[in-house]
Amino acid sequence: MTETTKAITFLGTRPIKTNYIFPDGREYEAPFFGVALANFVPGLRMRVFVTNATRDQCLLEFQNSVAKFVSDIQPVDIPDGRNDEELWAIFQAVVDAVDPGEQLIVDITHGFRSLPFLSFLAVAYLRVVKNIHLKGVYYGNFEARNQSVIPNRTPVIDLTPFVDLLDWTAGADHFVRFGDASELARLLWTRHERVKPDLHNKVAMSEWGNSPVKKTAAYLERASRALRVLRPNEAMDASAQICAQLPEALKASQELARPLLLLGEHVRNSFTPIARSRNEQSKNPAETLENERQLIKWYLDRNQIFLAVALAREWLVSWVMVQMGMGNNLLEKAEREKVERALGQKSQQMIDKSPVNDTDTALPNLEKLHNLSTIVQCYNQLGDLRNDLMHAGKRKSPRTAERVEEQAKELVKKLEEF
């Protein structure tokens, strides 16, 4: 059984006949757009929102006009919306009129005062709270009607894409605050899929399949995933791909995903400091460490304290390796462990204030490093803070959450000195 769509419409007090022109070219003459909508989309279930005045003056006429198209039509009483309390009552009435998971069409043509704006907010709320499937938001633009013909011709505007802008706003907010672009990637991908060309047009299909928007969406998702699970090398490489592909994607976004144009500069500025391709990473480990240090700051700026601390500790080990001429072995577990043991032994010497007799001579000699005591102290503090976070503070006298954040910022700042 096919699920029917519910339509929400508002009645005005002064119905005027006009010929409503739907976006696909269909037209229907009616005193209310809701009547035309019932003709355009057969089988609707309608909820008609009426004030005392519109109930008395127009409801019966409206019901008679849509009777041949709609079998389920119910009026919903609402106040005039003259104050905050009445506006909340209208908002609640709209929410209550819609069941979870329903397909919904919203007509805001005859909404009085702030009702169209309130309806938009209700739609955004319903999409999140009741998981509705929005089929359309329509506005019969009576003020823009063609008056040179009788009956006048009134264009119907499909406002659904502007509801999608609310999703872009939420995605942008999530990206700005947390650095997670996965929602932006999903929106780009969804918008891209809507304009799939004719399957028989092989040239168009090839261009569509390799479009810069599609590639950018994939890179945004890849970068977000790598950033979430602390894969700095992959995150830097994906960021480089984003920065390389973004200019072309922004050109294509003029028609495909206009909200991306507004976010383009912010996206580019966010990923540029941490962007470094795999090839560049292998060529110059020292410069790569600078990008990685920027990534630590990137995490810290977005309050992802654990990830910042975990990466900072590993960064310091890598930095020491580069200083010791071991830059080509940064990913070798055995080599990293040698440096960690050497740092640990030096730390023990500093604590005991005397040489350790059983020092492993196979370990690298750290004495040539400038500010060695500062490096060792920072390494110990980062390790201790990381362990505190990893073990969820399950120790006697753990740091407070506030102190964790303070110390993380202090230690990351020390890395800049190196």
Side-chain angles (χ1 to χ4, degrees), residues 27-87:
E27 53 187 77
Y28 191 83
E29 184 181 355
F32 298 102
F33 174 67
V35 177
L37 179 63
N39 173 265
F40 293 145
V41 188
L44 287 174
R45 293 174 294 127
M46 300 195 86
R47 299 297 177 262
V48 188
F49 289 77
V50 292
T51 62
N52 289 334
T54 55
R55 173 182 275 275
D56 294 341
Q57 297 175 30
C58 307
L59 180 60
L60 183 59
E61 178 187 353
F62 181 85
Q63 288 175 318
N64 290 336
S65 298
V66 299
K68 58 183 176 180
F69 306 119
V70 179
S71 58
D72 175 14
I73 177 171
Q74 298 178 25
V76 179
D77 291 309
I78 56 172
D80 291 327
R82 299 180 185 277
N83 52 50
D84 288 354
E85 185 177 349
E86 290 190 353
L87 288 173

Side-chain angles (χ1 to χ4, degrees), residues 4-15:
T4 58
T5 301
K6 180 179 285 184
I8 285 177
T9 186
F10 296 85
L11 288 191
T13 55
R14 292 181 295 175

Side-chain angles (χ1 to χ4, degrees), residues 165 168 191 250 252-263:
L165 190 57
W168 282 93
R191 188 66 63 91
L250 292 177
S253 296
Q254 185 64 40
E255 296 181 359
L256 185 58
R258 289 187 179 182
L260 182 63
L261 285 171
L262 306 176
L263 292 168

Side-chain angles (χ1 to χ4, degrees), residues 228-246:
R228 281 196 302 270
V229 299
L230 195 56
R231 292 296 178 267
N233 298 91
E234 184 178 352
M236 289 188 288
D237 182 64
S239 298
Q241 300 277 20
I242 291 169
C243 293
Q245 194 66 50
L246 195 58

Side-chain angles (χ1 to χ4, degrees), residues 227 236 269-275 287-302 308 311 315 412 415-416:
L227 288 164
M236 289 188 288
N269 291 342
S270 295
F271 283 109
T272 296
I274 62 175
E287 290 185 5
T288 300
L289 279 180
E290 175 56 24
N291 291 97
E292 196 168 282
R293 189 178 64 80
Q294 290 294 331
L295 179 53
I296 297 168
K297 186 176 182 299
W298 192 95
Y299 279 128
L300 203 60
D301 289 344
R302 289 157 180 81
L311 182 55
W315 181 92
V412 169
L415 299 186
E416 297 177 10

Side-chain angles (χ1 to χ4, degrees), residues 210-235:
N210 294 293
S211 77
V213 170
K214 183 178 180 180
K215 290 179 180 178
T216 300
Y219 294 141
L220 284 170
E221 176 57 36
R222 180 179 169 227
S224 296
R225 186 182 297 115
L227 288 164
R228 281 196 302 270
V229 299
L230 195 56
R231 292 296 178 267
N233 298 91
E234 184 178 352

